Amino acid sequence: MPEGEPSEPNSVEAVIHYVDPSGPIGGIDDVERERSTFRLVPHVMPIRDARPLRERLALETNGFVWLRHPTSVADFTDERAVEQVYLPEAAAIVRRLMQADHVLVFGHVRRDGSLNTSPHRPVFNAHIDYDEPTVRAIARRLLGAEEYERRASQRIVLSNVWRPLAPVERNPLALCDASSVRREDLVFGPIVGKSASGLSNASGWNLAYSPRHRWHYLSRMQPDEVLVFKLCDTDEERVQWTAHTSFEDPASAAEAPQRRSIEVRTLAFI
């Protein structure tokens, strides 16, 4: 829907920060985002509530799904519980959704917008974490060279399992329907500084504006809900490139608490 047209029912209008494709290639700092060197352009976009669409959404059609999936972890500051309980939970979700025979987890990040000193706050630019060369380098790092070579011919899918740690009242996550994103919308973004990939030369994509983009979010998302979205698929014919970003929800109260969340990146071998 082009800018200026009326929004759909069950939607809000908010600013999405796109990359300026006419500028020089800008580096992404995965931790200190204010040090990123790309130029951003704000566009007001309709962002549709995905709650009524639950039964219609599919990873292979839209690039994302939302699920009710409680966790056994009570305290996400307990890193041992996260490592031993939550990461296997996230892997199991992806294994079931994608019918994968092997799933790796890496790069989990807790974000807290209330901590001004935290490097992990909500991110306000439309992006896609990693490109295929980075995905393959991550797979080799995690599997080891011999096991990677054994699995290199398999289809590999990078996805994110995203969960709020409290009801989301501010700065929700918006997802761009991957079927509305084309390769020409993607602007290469080398990642500088520390990266959740564990690599020193990772790269991903920033998203340039297109009026065809269809954005969604989950209103008042709860801790027993997860969003699972695809970021890269080595089968180039598949829907992928689910761009995502936080946005300032105009319906949020001024005193609403900042968003807290955890995200886990996964590699599924199919």
Side-chain angles (χ1 to χ4, degrees):
M1 180 183 299
E3 289 180 291
E5 290 192 9
S7 59
E8 301 179 38
N10 302 311
S11 70
V12 298
E13 289 190 342
V15 170
I16 297 292
H17 294 278
Y18 286 94
V19 74
D20 179 358
S22 67
I25 292 176
I28 307 166
D29 193 304
D30 209 25
V31 175
E32 299 179 72
R33 290 278 171 160
E34 64 275 9
R35 296 179 58 188
S36 298
T37 55
F38 48 65
R39 293 204 302 257
L40 297 176
V41 181
H43 289 267
V44 176
M45 302 291 286
I47 306 175
R48 187 175 182 183
D49 190 350
R51 288 199 178 279
L53 308 177
R54 182 180 181 184
E55 301 304 321
R56 292 163 49 189
L57 296 170
L59 285 172
E60 298 299 336
T61 304
N62 312 99
F64 75 97
V65 294
W66 73 270
L67 310 168
R68 291 197 182 277
H69 198 286
T71 175
S72 298
V73 176
D75 180 6
F76 278 88
T77 65
D78 182 347
E79 189 60 30
R80 184 176 180 182
V82 171
E83 293 277 356
Q84 296 184 0
V85 179
Y86 190 68
L87 298 189
E89 286 179 352
I93 291 171
V94 170
R95 185 178 294 108
R96 176 175 59 83
L97 282 174
M98 300 188 185
Q99 300 182 332
D101 63 50
H102 190 57
V103 176
L104 300 172
V105 295
F106 70 99
H108 67 280
V109 174
R110 288 186 297 272
R111 298 192 186 276
D112 189 338
S114 67
L115 300 176
N116 292 331
T117 59
S118 170
H120 300 304
R121 299 186 297 277
V123 176
F124 289 90
N125 65 280
H127 67 284
I128 299 161
D129 291 22
Y130 302 121
D131 57 12
E132 183 174 338
T134 299
V135 166
R136 290 194 174 278
I138 294 168
R140 179 182 287 274
R141 177 179 69 82
L142 295 176
L143 291 172
E146 183 176 346
E147 178 69 5
Y148 171 75
E149 292 303 327
R150 189 175 76 82
R151 291 186 174 275
S153 62
Q154 286 187 272
R155 178 182 167 208
I156 306 173
V157 179
L158 169 68
S159 62
N160 190 319
V161 179
W162 194 96
R163 180 190 298 273
L165 300 182
V168 177
E169 299 182 47
R170 172 177 281 181
N171 300 333
L173 184 72
L175 302 176
C176 191
D177 187 321
S179 67
S180 70
V181 176
R182 298 177 184 170
R183 175 61 184 84
E184 57 263 32
D185 301 337
L186 307 182
V187 178
F188 178 72
I191 297 173
V192 298
K194 186 178 180 181
S195 168
S197 70
L199 304 174
S200 59
N201 59 344
S203 54
W205 305 106
N206 290 305
L207 190 67
Y209 168 74
S210 169
R212 86 178 81 84
H213 291 158
R214 298 189 299 273
W215 288 93
H216 298 80
Y217 79 117
L218 209 58
S219 61
R220 295 280 301 173
M221 192 173 178
Q222 302 295 307
D224 66 345
E225 298 174 319
V226 293
L227 287 163
V228 182
F229 49 99
K230 290 174 60 177
L231 299 164
C232 181
D233 192 324
T234 58
D235 182 345
E236 296 180 357
E237 300 303 313
R238 303 275 184 164
V239 167
Q240 51 185 298
W241 301 325
T242 310
H244 52 286
T245 179
S246 298
F247 71 96
E248 294 186 9
D249 185 351
S252 294
E255 66 278 8
Q258 294 285 346
R259 188 249 284 168
R260 296 188 297 119
S261 61
I262 185 168
E263 60 205 55
V264 179
R265 293 159 182 82
T266 70
L267 292 181
F269 294 80
I270 303 169

